[in-house]
Amino acid sequence: MAPGQKDLETLFRVGTFAGMPDAALLERFVANREPAAFEAILARHGPMVFHVCRRMLSDRSDVDDAFQATFLILIQKAGAIRKRGQLGSWLHGVAHRVASRQRAQAIARRARERDLAIEPAANDSATPESRELLAALDQELARLPERLRAAVVLCDLEGKSYDEASRTLECPPGTLRSRLDLGRKRLRGRLLRRRFVPAAVISSLENLKPTARGEIPAPLHEQTLRNALAASASRTAVAAGANAVVQQLVKGVLVAMLLTRVKSIAIGLTLATPAVILAAIAPGLLRTDTQAREAQPQNQPRSPAPVAAEISPRSPRADTPAEEAQNQNDPRPLILATAKKSHFEYRTDQPGTVLPFEQADLSPPPRGTGAVTSIKASLGDRVKKGQILAELAAPEAEIELEARKVGLERARARLGILKASFQATSASVGVAAAELNEAIKAQEGAQAIRDALQKSVAANKDLLAAHRISVEAVKTEEHRLETAKVAVATADAHVATARAKLELAKARLEVAHAEVGEGETKVTSAQVAQDQAQVAYQKAIAIRSPLDGVITQVNLNVGVDVKRDKNGQPVPAFTVVRTDKMRVIVLVPDADSGRLSVGDPATLRFDSLPGREYHGAVSRSAFAQDLENRNTRCEIDLDNWDGLLRPGMWGRVVILLEKRDNVIGIPASAITEADGQGSAFCFKVVNGQAKRTYFLTGKIDQREVEVLSGINEGDTVILNPPRNLKDGDPVAPAASDKARPRP
């Protein structure tokens, strides 16, 4: 085959493959080892790989070796690439790994030669600072998540349009833009946190665009293609034509990739092992627990209910043999009491916990802040409202503020230009109006001359008829009339032109006026944006206390970024609590919550403050009960005037829920039965006989019972009635009966 024909066939074949997506190219190469498919991949992604190697390495030979090694690794790992549509991102990661390894070897080699200086052959204009920044850029790019790195590689490193990149990644253009913006923002933030100059960071991000393919040296392109195809044909790791450095790079990186894969699998197995063990033993644990419950005795006694224990009467004394033998017709000497008016206080005694009246967990903004530059307050310090507690670096907020300032200056400059244009347009309107007035005056003059000549011609015709003037005089006057008519027509045209110019100038003036209004609106918007950026910047560079209080928690260290949780949100840097006033949290049980009201007086005692008693009132109540424990939360505010109350203290709180006067009461020992729900029985004395009586109870304490109904004031009841007492048994007061209800 002739050389020209061979070149033409190669051009046609590569051109055909060049239009295929990465996934299809890689599939063709993996399936058939087609050289044209690999050549198309090299042509498409070679510039990006070459520039990665140039940014990482300064020696030209090192750059060439790393470039060749990257594509030789692709020959070996092409079939293992899972996301084939993101081939560019995969190649960037491999190129960065190869260049990093080559860079380390080059530094070690030069150290052995006692020549640490690296001649910048590949990028002569690059300074050490810029080379360090570019190397850090590729390092941070390799650390980005795959979805973000793929978008940055396609658009910023390979120069693809949004549509091309979205088709390659098989995602909508809007999603691609979001990923690209997020990737750029993370890159910028990470580089700023590594203490690079903001201006240099912005410049490096803006100059990521690749240069033309022709910048790859032709010999390097041909040698890489030749070695790669030879390795593909021989199914070996490297081609025989590759130098020893390239072979060492390829083998070393392949081994490192294998170790990384093995490590990932080992970690996965380690994390999965507890779950597997739990799945294996869980059925046995469940069976064991079920068997234990089934083996528990079903007649095991339950703990008595609190209410029943509270209202249960004292156990009646046992009857003695003498009492059993006593004649049932003789009156029994029993202790009696009279129901009378009394007063009852309903109280609840519950544990209480002291909390600060106000607490502020202070965190910097979730974005825009960097490392802590200084800490102005420590744990336990008393601070004032507005006091600066810590200062932080805020490079992103600073860049945003500077950008807003530039935007405002541009808007103001644009407004100045628009106002000047408006003034010029306004002046042109005046000029056009003056020109129109001049044209109208000229028109009126031409019309006057024409009218005068018309009268003169008419008069001359009469004189000619009377043979008083010659024919030549008449013709001369008529010629002058025709000239005047032409002048009138010209003047009319000038007036029309001047009027059109005036209308055009007025239209331009209206447009200029609208543009000035739009410019003023943009200036206002830019001013608002700058003010917002200024506020955000002030918030980002300092953490201020929002209240007077004491610092109870500090989570900051100078020179370290603000701590963040697993969701990326800042952990509170400071906790400030107000100490001049405290609130005590009390959970009131269901039995007492119905009587709880705001303003109920309370007495508080704390274990850590023996001998001290605080008095307050219920400040607020939740009204609704907690569905899990059936408690109602209430809060009691206390002035901490002596500073002894501290958050977290525990104590007892007695709340006076209700106080009732003039209610009927009887001794608690008169009750024989009670259901704990407000119903009870006792024995009254009616006409000298015992009568079992049902009544409703209210408040019950250890000594006295409130009677709601069933017993009237003045009724006599029997205290500690014997078990064998029945309705109708005669009763007499005991000789020592002096017990009466407590007033």
Side-chain angles (χ1 to χ4, degrees), residues 685-705:
V685 178
V686 179
N687 297 325
Q689 295 180 342
K691 179 176 179 58
R692 190 170 183 269
T693 304
Y694 168 82
F695 68 101
L696 298 180
T697 65
K699 172 68 176 177
I700 300 177
D701 58 28
Q702 295 181 350
R703 295 189 303 170
E704 197 169 11
V705 179

Side-chain angles (χ1 to χ4, degrees), residues 635-656:
E635 299 178 359
I636 301 172
D637 296 343
L638 293 178
D639 289 331
N640 192 19
W641 56 271
D642 52 7
L644 296 179
L645 294 177
R646 298 187 179 185
M649 283 186 174
W650 187 90
R652 303 298 303 185
V653 181
V654 179
I655 302 175
L656 178 59

Side-chain angles (χ1 to χ4, degrees), residues 1 116 133 137 363:
M1 183 182 295
L116 295 178
L133 174 57
L137 176 62
S363 299

Side-chain angles (χ1 to χ4, degrees), residues 47-48 51-52 55 92 137-138 141 144 148-162 164-165 169 176-177 179-188 201-211:
M48 181 270 295
H51 284 289
V52 171
R55 288 193 291 268
H92 175 273
L137 176 62
D138 281 299
L141 181 58
L144 285 179
L148 304 183
R149 184 172 68 250
V152 175
V153 168
L154 288 175
C155 295
D156 288 344
L157 271 67
E158 297 188 343
K160 292 186 180 295
S161 65
Y162 293 137
E164 292 174 339
L169 298 178
L176 173 73
R177 290 173 182 266
R179 293 178 181 177
L180 184 60
D181 292 341
L182 182 57
R184 290 170 176 170
K185 193 169 186 179
R186 288 193 181 180
L187 278 178
R188 183 170 61 251
V201 171
I202 296 175
S203 176
S204 66
L205 293 177
E206 292 178 350
N207 294 327
L208 279 177
K209 299 296 184 184
T211 55

